[in-house]
Amino acid sequence: MNRVLSFCFFMFLFVGLFSYAQDDLLDELDEEVVDEGTVSSTFKALQIVTLQSTKIAAPGDFYFVVSHRFGTVKNGFSEFFGLDNATTKLGGIYGVTDWMSVGLSRHTLLKTYELSIKYRLVNQSDNFPFTIVGYHSMGANSYIDKDDYENLAFTDRLAYVNQLLISRKISAALSLELAPSYVQKNLYNKDLENDKQFVLAAGSRYKLSNRVSLNLEYGYNFNQPEFYSQPLSLGVDIETGGHVFQLLFTNSQAMTDSGYLTNATGDWGQGDFFFGFNLYRVF
């Protein structure tokens, strides 16, 4: 079933990315086009749901980020549909230049600190069909107790994610993204997972109105053991002035890049998924 779902999703994305490469594409775009035929506002938020988008913070802008993933809704009213078991992410993202931003966040799940950098390589324009962005993050697990691991070094706590984000604004309403991702974990359970994992992720945004969009993302992990699930998330963006508010449902409670891509534990078919939100405030 996972292979069928993966094939259908990526075929949809492949057809969407390459079927509108003709010059008349720009005639279909709305006013969100800047000078010299460069396309803007492919995504309004820095994340599609949890997956990074190709949007980069503008130079001098500081984004304060608050995210929650509640517990599984599967246990129903006894745990108030997951609200009793929330995890939280607090962070900040700063636009260094018009093509690069840096970020720092802290996650309550495994008490993880995460550093990130995002940089634009090329913009979609009338001369090039895609926006391409590089993204790298490093997470440090501070939950691990030295007494539990002999000769534990700081580098053993680290996990790295390297991504190439490739997006295309198909029309005024529809944007698509592919995100080949490589995850390296220095500390991992050999019985459950691999230290090196490759994930091909994809996401989409469909604009419902000037301030609301529907978002979908999915990742296929080629090294995924049966214990974990492939990440699948659905969200809604609501833009309210200086805020972007994202409501979402996902089968991954983890919000770190490595945790989201490789450690999703929920099963949508069993009603085992998590409600959550992302809130961005720009200063």
Side-chain angles (χ1 to χ4, degrees):
M1 180 63 184
N2 280 341
R3 292 182 182 276
V4 174
L5 179 61
S6 303
F7 177 78
C8 293
F9 190 88
F10 287 114
M11 280 301 294
F12 162 75
L13 206 63
F14 179 84
V15 172
L17 281 170
F18 289 98
S19 62
Y20 290 92
Q22 294 81 9
D23 291 339
D24 61 352
L25 168 67
L26 293 181
D27 294 336
E28 302 175 11
L29 301 182
D30 60 8
E31 69 278 5
E32 295 173 334
V33 178
V34 296
D35 292 342
E36 299 179 357
T38 300
V39 176
S40 66
S41 298
T42 304
F43 295 97
K44 283 296 184 71
L46 300 176
Q47 293 172 279
I48 301 175
V49 180
T50 301
L51 184 70
Q52 293 292 319
S53 75
T54 51
K55 179 180 174 66
I56 294 179
D61 280 359
F62 177 77
Y63 284 74
F64 179 63
V65 183
V66 181
S67 298
H68 280 287
R69 301 293 184 270
F70 300 100
T72 177
V73 304
K74 184 178 181 179
N75 296 327
F77 192 76
S78 64
E79 295 184 2
F80 208 58
F81 299 96
L83 270 67
D84 289 346
N85 300 300
T87 62
T88 304
K89 167 187 171 181
L90 294 177
I93 299 169
Y94 180 72
V96 180
T97 70
D98 61 355
W99 57 271
M100 183 178 70
S101 65
V102 294
L104 172 65
S105 60
R106 203 273 189 180
H107 306 247
T108 58
L109 190 63
L110 300 180
K111 299 181 180 180
T112 300
Y113 293 86
E114 192 172 46
L115 285 167
S116 65
I117 182 171
K118 184 188 283 190
Y119 51 92
R120 184 183 301 108
L121 299 172
V122 64
N123 250 331
Q124 180 182 341
S125 68
D126 51 0
N127 296 318
F128 194 79
F130 308 111
T131 294
I132 301 178
V133 167
Y135 178 79
H136 310 279
S137 67
M138 179 181 69
N141 183 335
S142 67
Y143 179 79
I144 303 171
D145 194 328
K146 286 186 176 181
D147 295 334
D148 296 333
Y149 294 89
E150 187 177 356
N151 300 320
L152 182 71
F154 174 74
T155 53
D156 295 328
R157 300 176 180 271
L158 303 180
Y160 307 91
V161 175
N162 299 287
Q163 294 182 302
L164 192 64
L165 312 175
I166 307 167
S167 72
R168 180 166 177 81
K169 188 169 185 178
I170 302 299
S171 70
L174 179 63
S175 298
L176 302 175
E177 178 180 292
L178 281 175
S181 311
Y182 175 75
V183 181
Q184 167 72 49
K185 296 185 178 183
N186 290 351
L187 187 65
Y188 64 103
N189 188 331
K190 295 180 180 179
D191 296 329
L192 298 179
E193 59 181 339
N194 303 301
D195 59 338
K196 300 176 178 64
Q197 301 183 45
F198 177 73
V199 183
L200 182 58
S204 65
R205 168 184 180 253
Y206 188 79
K207 185 176 176 182
L208 302 176
S209 71
N210 287 335
R211 295 188 179 274
V212 179
S213 68
L214 181 66
N215 304 331
L216 175 68
E217 62 185 38
Y218 175 75
Y220 185 81
N221 189 334
F222 292 90
N223 310 106
Q224 188 77 62
E226 293 184 2
F227 182 82
Y228 294 111
S229 304
Q230 307 289 4
L232 174 63
S233 304
L234 176 69
V236 176
D237 282 4
I238 304 172
E239 186 182 0
T240 58
H243 295 74
V244 176
F245 190 52
Q246 296 179 304
L247 297 172
L248 60 96
F249 293 94
T250 178
N251 65 344
S252 175
Q253 193 178 32
M255 289 177 280
T256 61
D257 296 313
S258 62
Y260 175 71
L261 291 170
T262 65
N263 296 134
T265 57
D267 185 340
W268 281 89
Q270 300 297 321
D272 186 10
F273 55 88
F274 309 90
F275 172 67
F277 67 82
N278 303 322
L279 176 62
Y280 292 89
R281 181 67 172 92
V282 186
F283 295 93

